[in-house]
Amino acid sequence: MTKPKGIQEFARYLRTETTGGLILLAATAIALLWANSPAAGGYRALRDLTLGPHVLHLDLSVGDWAKDGLLALFFFVAGLELKRELVVGELSRFKQAVLPVVAALGGMIVPALLALTVAWGSPGIDRAWAIPVATDIAFALGVLALTGSNLPGSARIFLLSLAVVDDLGAIILIAVLFTASFNLVAAAVAVAALALYALLQHLRVRSAWLYVPLAVITWVAVHSAGVHATIAGVALGLLTRVRPDPDEEEAPAIRLEHRLQPWSAAVAVPLFALFAAGIELDAHSLAEVFTTAVPLAVVTGLVVGKAVGILGASALAVALRLGERPRGMGWRDLAALSLLGGVGFTVSLLIAELALPSGPSDRAKAAVLLASAIASLAAAVLLLRRNRVHGAAGGSGAA
């Protein structure tokens, strides 16, 4: 059944990066205002309200449902995007694929090393070093869409590919660092459910009545196994078919991405931000970001480490002829995008929650928000300059 035109247009509007970034920013602002208002008690009560059955450890707080449940949808869409790019997109060409992958690795390793250097020996840094490794897809692409409309399309593809690989790496870190206990039976159920999903994709089964319960079973099994439940979303996305059959207008991955991306952008990620970003901010807590080792390490890792790691790894890959610079882009364009990689936000907030207890976690979250603001503003200034150059040159202003 065809959706009404108004609903289709609204969904298309929600699929734009600008809209997703603005909704995410609005949710963050609401969280901060709410958590620092006279109604802060109501915010904390709602965030900590427990819902769900005790069986299979599903009696989670509202904040945990947002973190474990809604973000699984976000990572499912990210997995679909990564699979599409790897199989039929820009990353299907080896030399085009190498650069964002190497850049993502540089953008993970350098921030982690910087964070460890800045906060070496401080309590919590043994896990908090992972906080600045992630790049927020929605927010970073939103800033690019707002400030870099004249840049070549390869800029968006490079940033998207880098951010998706980056977040996949962050999810692997979450699985390794934050799996306290491991249930072999639940893990076996998860593997079996994923295998069945892959088989149904191979057999060209298209019924949502099979896939939706199977996705829920996979999520519950991964959660019960002790692994962070967002892993289920990435795994299901990577197993979804991206090449259409002759009788199909769109492949399942493309169809699902179009249907679910608006829900991810308008519901899943903003609700996570609403319950994750609600920290108490005052002059003292902001000062602690720059006077306490771990928050300072997070800021340094995101603002400095990301830019140096992404640009440095890209330059090394091109110099060694392992990868090619994106079409139509110069090193100044890549420098601006490298700064934009410092917008950690969603996944960095998630890792901060997982890595640290409540007090230090709030300071680390404040550091993530502050660093993301600094990185996005600095990148926006550079992107606006590059945007004018490309506009004046008719889109060929790479230099």
Side-chain angles (χ1 to χ4, degrees), residues 40-73:
Y43 172 82
R44 289 190 291 271
L46 177 60
R47 182 192 62 196
D48 299 336
L49 177 66
T50 300
L51 299 172
H54 180 68
V55 64
L56 299 176
H57 309 291
L58 294 177
D59 49 341
L60 304 175
S61 69
V62 170
D64 284 338
W65 275 113
K67 178 176 65 180
D68 294 354
L70 291 177
L71 277 193
L73 174 62

Side-chain angles (χ1 to χ4, degrees), residues 253-285:
I254 309 301
R255 188 167 60 250
L256 283 169
E257 192 178 328
H258 279 203
R259 289 180 179 177
L260 297 177
Q261 201 278 336
W263 290 98
S264 173
V267 179
V269 176
L271 279 178
F272 166 75
L274 179 66
F275 293 110
I279 55 178
E280 294 183 21
L281 285 181
D282 53 28
H284 176 69
S285 59

Side-chain angles (χ1 to χ4, degrees), residues 33 58 65 70 89 99 116 131 172-173 193 214 256 266 273 277 290 316 324 344 387 392:
L33 289 171
L58 294 177
W65 275 113
L70 291 177
L99 192 67
L116 282 169
I131 296 173
I172 292 170
L173 284 178
L214 191 56
L256 283 169
F290 297 100
L316 184 62
E324 296 175 353
N387 199 52

Side-chain angles (χ1 to χ4, degrees), residues 338-398:
S338 299
L339 264 175
L340 198 49
V343 181
F345 220 79
T346 307
V347 182
S348 291
L349 289 174
L350 172 62
I351 297 176
E353 281 204 349
L354 297 172
L356 299 167
S358 59
S361 173
D362 283 353
R363 288 194 291 273
K365 286 183 188 179
V368 169
L369 296 176
L370 188 61
S372 297
I374 293 170
S376 59
L377 288 172
V381 170
L382 287 183
L383 284 168
L384 286 169
R385 291 188 63 183
R386 298 306 301 161
N387 199 52
R388 286 195 294 270
V389 171
H390 281 276
S396 58

Side-chain angles (χ1 to χ4, degrees), residues 82 91 100-102 104-105 108 160-170:
L82 179 60
L91 299 186
V101 171
V102 171
L105 290 174
M108 294 177 69
L160 173 64
S161 305
L162 181 149
V164 171
V165 173
D166 191 303
D167 281 351
L168 182 60

Side-chain angles (χ1 to χ4, degrees), residues 149-234:
S149 57
N150 290 326
L151 267 68
S154 57
R156 181 191 179 279
I157 293 169
F158 174 81
L159 184 60
L160 173 64
S161 305
L162 181 149
V164 171
V165 173
D166 191 303
D167 281 351
L168 182 60
I171 282 295
I172 292 170
L173 284 178
I174 288 170
V176 172
L177 294 176
F178 307 116
T179 299
S181 58
F182 192 69
N183 186 317
L184 282 174
V185 174
V189 172
V191 170
L194 289 169
L196 180 56
Y197 182 93
L199 177 63
L200 292 173
Q201 286 287 299
H202 178 72
L203 295 175
R204 299 325 194 240
V205 175
R206 301 177 187 177
S207 173
W209 294 103
L210 286 175
Y211 285 118
V212 172
L214 191 56
V216 172
I217 290 169
T218 304
W219 181 89
V220 171
V222 170
H223 174 79
S224 300
V227 180
H228 199 269
T230 49
I231 300 290
V234 175

